[in-house]
Amino acid sequence: MDNVKNKMVVEDAPKLGNRRSFLGRSALLGLAGAGASLGLSGCKEESSGKKAAAAPAGATKAATSGSHEVAPGQLDEYYLFSGTGHGGEALIMGVPSGRILKRIPVFNIDCMVGWGITNESKAIMGTKADGSLQYTTGDTHHIHGSYKDGTYDSRWLFTNDKIHSRLARIRMDTMECDKITQLPNVMGMHGLFTDKRDPVDPAINYTTRVFCGAEFHIPLPNDGRDLDDPSKWGCLFSCVDAATMEVRWQCRVDGNMDLVATSYDGKLAACNQYNTENGADLTSMMSSERDACVFVDVARVEQLVKDGKFTTIGSSKVPVVDGRKAANADPKTAITCYVPVGKNPHGVNASPDGKYFVCAGKLSPTATVIELSLVHKWFAGDLKTERDAVVAEPEIGLGPLHTAFDNKGNAYTSLFLDSQCVKWNVEKAIAQFKGDKAANPIVEKMDVHYQPGHNFSSMGETTEVDGKYLNSGNKFSKDRFLPVGPLHCETEQLINISGDKMQLIADHTAYSEPHDGIIVRRDLVKTSQIYNMDDFPGAVKAENAGIERKGNKVHVRLMSQAPNYSMPIIKVKKGDEVTLTLTNHDKVEDLTHGCAIPTYNINFIVNPQETKSVTFKADRVGAYWIYCTHFCHALHLEMRSRFLVEA
C-alpha cells in the first residue's frame, strides 16, 4: 500500500502549468482580438511534451510517516464526503488537511453554480406547474457511496432529505447531483445505506439498491384520515433502485427508524429503532426498557413482491409488504426480525469484517453487538429468541450514539453526554458478555469538543478499513474558534487512530452542522476534469448558434470562449419568454465561465465543454449587461454582451 501511495503523490500532483500558461499567453491574444467574434475552434491546450512537475521533496515521506500536515502544492490522502444538515447540501473536504474542496448543492439553491436557477437543475430538483421549485429547503443528514467487491467504486454518492423525504444521487465523476426521488407515504426519511451486493445472485457484487428508513409515524395514506388517532399511523422502510432511482418496494414496520446499515453479503438491511412503543408523545416514546434493531430479509421481501403478495397505499403504486412484528411471528416465513437493544438507540453500524452490527443506546450507557450469523439462524427458525442474536453489550459511557471501526478489531463510539470518544474492543466485549470477568473492553476514552454526534473512520465502512483516521463531528464548538455572533461554527475534529493511543491532531470548522460521512482513499475516486460537449443534446455550436423566435418565445443560443460571448448584442421584446442556452467552448481544465443578467435574477456557471440553460420572462425594458461572473481570463471584466429589451 505504501508503494501505491508514494507513486500517487507524484503522478496525481497538481499540473500547475495548464491554466497558468493558458492565462499568460491568452492575455495578449485577448488584447489583440477582444472585439473579434468567438473563435469557433476552441482553445486547445498546448503540449510541451514535458511531464508534470514532481511533488516537492519530502512529500512521499510525509504521506507515510503519520504526519497530518499537507504541504502547499501537495494532495490529501483522502476525500471526506459528508452531509451538512439543514444546509441542504453535501460537502467534500480533504483529509488530513481539512481543506474544503467543494460544496455540492443538492436540495438548496446555490447562485454560484446556478443550482435551482438553471432549467437542468430545476428538472432534477422538481418544479410546480408554474415552473417554480417545489421545495427550496433540505436536510442532508447522511451520505454513503456505491460499492463493488466490498469497497467504494466511485460511481455514486447518495444523501437524504429528512424534511421532504427525498433521496438524492450524486455522480462521483462530476461531483454533481443528477437525480432526486421523493418517497411516497413517508415523512422524516433519516437514515439510508446502499447495498453491497445482490441478496440472491452472487455474480452481482456491486450496489443495486438504496435502503431508506422513515422516522415519523404518519397516517397511511396521509390524506386527512385518522388525524386524531395516532395509533393507526405507521412508518415505511423503502428500497430504491440505485440505477433508475425508482422506489422498488416498501415495508411497514413497528417503531421509528433512525439509521440504516447493510450486510456485506447483501442479504440483510437493518434500522435501529426508537419508539417501538409506537407512541405519539415524549413520555410514551420512552416507556419501554428496550427498543430494537429491525433486520429486513431482502430476498424474502422481494419474493413476496414477485408473488404479488403486497398492497399499495393511496395513489402510490409502490408495492408495500407488512413487516410489523405481529405479522411476522414465524421466523421461517418472517421478513423482519426485531432484536432488542438498549433504550432509544441512535445509530447502527456494520463492522468491516462483516460479522456484527452495533447499536448504541443513547438513553442506555451501552452498545449492543449483534452477530449477523445468529440473525440468519433466527430467520431459519434455529434460534430461540431474537435477543439471542446479541453477543455483547458493554457499558461504554453516557449518551452513546454512533460507532466507527479500525482494522484491529476496535470500535469507536461517540458519547454525546460525556463529550468523549470511547475506543473499545469488540472481541473483549464478547468475552465479557460470556462471563469472562477479566475481560475489559474499554481501551481508551478521549475528550472531544463538544457533544459529538456522528463519527466515522477512514475506509471504515468497507473491507479495506485502514485504521488511520477518525472524524468526530461535534454539535457545539463554544470556545474552539473566534466568536462570530450567536450562531457559532461547529467542529469536525480529526483524530489519529493508527497508534496505541488516540491523538487529536486537528480542529476543522463545520457549517451548518456536522453530520454523517465517509472517508474515502483518494485513489478510489475517479473524476472527470472536462465535460464531453456531445453529452449535452442542447449544446450550442457554430451551426445552431444565434437567436430563434417563435411567436413570443425566443431561444438565444450562445457560446462562450474566453474572453468573449459569441453575440455582443442580444435583442428581445418586452413580454418575450426567453430561453438562454450557453455552451462553454473552452477546453482548458478549470476554465469555467459565468453568466449573470442584472435585474433578471440569472446567475450560473458553465464548466469547460458544458451546456446549461435558463428560461425567464423579459418583463422590463432597458439595457442589461450579460457578464461573466467566474474569473476566466485577463480580460474577464470585459467579457460581456448587451441584452436589450425593447418596448
Side-chain angles (χ1 to χ4, degrees):
M1 182 58 70
D2 285 348
N3 290 337
V4 173
K5 289 182 180 178
N6 294 350
K7 184 178 180 182
M8 287 168 51
V9 168
V10 176
E11 292 187 351
D12 63 5
K15 298 177 178 62
L16 299 177
N18 291 357
R19 188 175 180 189
R20 180 173 293 170
S21 60
F22 166 76
L23 292 175
R25 70 174 183 270
S26 61
L28 292 176
L29 294 174
L31 286 170
S37 62
L38 183 80
L40 297 178
S41 62
C43 283
K44 294 183 179 179
E45 182 181 339
E46 291 182 358
S47 176
S48 65
K50 297 180 181 179
K51 293 182 179 180
T60 299
K61 181 179 179 181
T64 59
S65 66
S67 170
H68 66 278
E69 299 294 338
V70 181
Q74 296 308 295
L75 304 183
D76 280 286
E77 297 175 71
Y78 301 87
Y79 290 85
L80 186 156
F81 303 97
S82 69
T84 65
H86 43 288
E89 61 189 12
L91 180 69
I92 309 177
M93 292 172 57
V95 169
S97 73
R99 299 164 178 162
I100 295 177
L101 305 177
K102 188 173 186 178
R103 294 167 55 186
I104 307 174
V106 181
F107 303 112
N108 58 316
I109 296 173
D110 187 323
C111 66
M112 187 285 224
V113 301
W115 192 255
I117 297 169
T118 65
N119 293 330
E120 293 77 15
S121 62
K122 285 183 175 181
I124 294 170
M125 297 176 77
T127 58
K128 301 175 183 177
D130 63 359
S132 63
L133 290 174
Q134 185 175 8
Y135 303 110
T136 57
T137 57
D139 192 10
T140 55
H141 282 237
H142 306 101
I143 189 165
H144 293 290
S146 55
Y147 286 78
K148 185 176 182 180
D149 291 328
T151 194
Y152 301 119
D153 65 0
S154 196
R155 283 187 298 158
W156 297 311
L157 299 167
F158 296 89
T159 189
N160 74 305
D161 171 22
K162 183 174 177 178
I163 299 177
H164 306 299
S165 296
R166 293 178 291 175
L167 176 70
R169 186 179 69 192
I170 296 168
R171 286 177 49 173
M172 289 187 72
D173 60 343
T174 60
M175 298 299 176
E176 295 172 336
C177 177
D178 76 334
K179 188 74 174 177
I180 294 176
T181 296
Q182 185 159 11
L183 305 181
N185 296 304
V186 166
M187 187 175 292
M189 194 277 271
H190 188 191
L192 70 98
F193 216 104
T194 51
D195 69 354
K196 302 180 179 77
R197 64 182 311 123
D198 192 86
V200 177
D201 187 349
I204 302 176
N205 62 346
Y206 51 86
T207 292
T208 58
R209 303 165 180 80
V210 185
F211 299 105
C212 309
E215 193 172 349
F216 304 149
H217 285 78
I218 57 172
L220 297 172
N222 193 11
D223 59 1
R225 69 186 70 190
D226 302 324
L227 295 181
D228 298 321
D229 190 1
S231 66
K232 295 182 180 179
W233 299 6
C235 281
L236 300 176
F237 180 73
S238 302
C239 175
V240 179
D241 188 284
T244 66
M245 289 290 283
E246 295 178 355
V247 185
R248 286 190 175 199
W249 49 262
Q250 294 180 305
C251 177
R252 184 168 178 177
V253 300
D254 295 314
N256 294 56
M257 288 168 282
D258 190 12
L259 271 69
V260 180
T262 59
S263 62
Y264 281 86
D265 63 8
K267 296 181 183 300
L268 297 174
C271 287
N272 65 296
Q273 293 185 299
Y274 66 96
N275 189 28
T276 51
E277 305 91 339
N278 295 315
D281 55 58
L282 184 62
T283 301
S284 59
M285 289 182 187
M286 297 189 296
S287 60
S288 296
E289 285 304 311
R290 291 189 184 277
D291 279 290
C293 180
V294 59
F295 288 84
V296 178
D297 187 311
V298 180
R300 288 187 183 181
V301 170
E302 296 190 352
Q303 188 61 51
L304 288 180
V305 172
K306 184 177 180 180
D307 294 342
K309 298 178 180 178
F310 62 84
T311 59
T312 58
I313 298 175
S315 60
S316 170
K317 296 181 180 180
V318 174
V320 179
V321 296
D322 192 347
R324 288 174 290 182
K325 191 171 184 179
N328 291 269
D330 183 357
K332 292 184 178 181
T333 59
I335 58 174
T336 52
C337 172
Y338 292 80
V339 178
V341 301
K343 192 176 180 70
N344 287 68
H346 187 62
V348 57
N349 298 92
S351 63
D353 59 10
K355 294 180 179 179
Y356 309 109
F357 277 13
V358 175
C359 288
K362 193 169 70 172
L363 296 188
S364 170
T366 58
T368 303
V369 182
I370 303 168
E371 186 173 326
L372 297 190
S373 65
L374 296 177
V375 176
H376 285 301
K377 193 173 181 179
W378 183 88
F379 276 116
D382 297 328
L383 197 68
K384 187 175 181 180
T385 70
E386 299 94 328
R387 177 68 182 176
D388 290 332
V390 174
V391 294
E393 202 161 54
E395 187 170 311
I396 57 175
L398 297 180
L401 297 183
H402 302 283
T403 301
F405 301 91
D406 65 16
N407 57 350
K408 301 173 185 176
N410 298 310
Y412 300 78
T413 301
S414 56
L415 302 176
F416 183 83
L417 297 180
D418 282 336
S419 286
Q420 290 182 321
C421 174
V422 55
K423 175 181 178 181
W424 54 281
N425 184 269
V426 176
E427 293 303 324
K428 288 184 178 180
I430 294 172
Q432 183 189 63
F433 193 74
K434 290 180 178 179
D436 185 349
K437 295 182 180 180
N440 179 15
I442 306 300
V443 179
E444 182 186 2
K445 291 185 178 182
M446 190 186 76
D447 291 340
V448 293
H449 307 279
Y450 305 89
Q451 277 74 55
H454 286 280
N455 65 359
F456 41 92
S457 59
S458 50
M459 299 298 292
E461 292 181 306
T462 75
T463 55
E464 296 185 333
V465 56
D466 57 24
K468 188 161 186 179
Y469 294 115
L470 178 77
N471 188 86
S472 178
N474 308 318
K475 300 301 185 183
F476 296 91
S477 66
K478 299 179 182 177
D479 54 357
R480 302 299 288 183
F481 306 108
L482 287 172
V484 288
L487 178 62
H488 293 231
C489 59
E490 291 164 358
T491 56
E492 304 272 16
Q493 291 191 303
L494 190 65
I495 301 167
N496 187 334
I497 59 173
S498 61
D500 293 335
K501 295 286 186 180
M502 292 185 285
Q503 180 188 8
L504 178 62
I505 57 176
D507 280 8
H508 303 140
T509 57
Y511 184 87
S512 54
E513 185 181 3
H515 275 285
D516 201 11
I518 55 177
I519 301 175
V520 181
R521 210 173 61 239
R522 73 186 188 197
D523 63 291
L524 295 177
V525 178
K526 312 295 182 184
T527 61
S528 300
Q529 305 308 107
I530 296 176
Y531 285 97
N532 182 347
M533 188 182 294
D534 293 332
D535 288 341
F536 299 91
V540 181
K541 301 178 182 180
E543 56 268 25
N544 66 350
I547 300 176
E548 178 185 19
R549 174 179 290 276
K550 292 182 179 179
N552 68 337
K553 293 186 177 182
V554 178
H555 194 161
V556 179
R557 295 185 176 92
L558 191 65
M559 297 179 288
S560 64
Q561 185 178 315
N564 286 294
Y565 295 115
S566 58
M567 286 185 285
I569 299 175
I570 299 167
K571 288 185 178 182
V572 300
K573 298 182 182 298
K574 182 181 179 181
D576 284 345
E577 179 186 282
V578 179
T579 296
L580 188 154
T581 301
L582 176 63
T583 297
N584 181 350
H585 276 252
D586 279 305
K587 297 180 180 179
V588 177
E589 180 179 330
D590 196 27
L591 193 58
T592 296
H593 294 151
C595 181
I597 307 179
T599 306
Y600 281 97
N601 202 32
I602 302 299
N603 190 15
F604 64 96
I605 63 170
V606 281
N607 292 299
Q609 303 288 290
E610 186 181 24
T611 299
K612 289 181 182 176
S613 66
V614 291
T615 299
F616 60 98
K617 188 173 183 179
D619 55 1
R620 297 169 190 167
V621 298
Y624 306 92
W625 285 102
I626 298 175
Y627 71 98
C628 179
T629 53
H630 203 92
F631 186 85
C632 61
H633 192 276
L635 293 176
H636 163 69
L637 294 180
E638 288 79 8
M639 185 172 173
R640 306 182 211 165
S641 290
R642 282 169 283 170
F643 181 64
L644 307 179
V645 182
E646 300 174 328

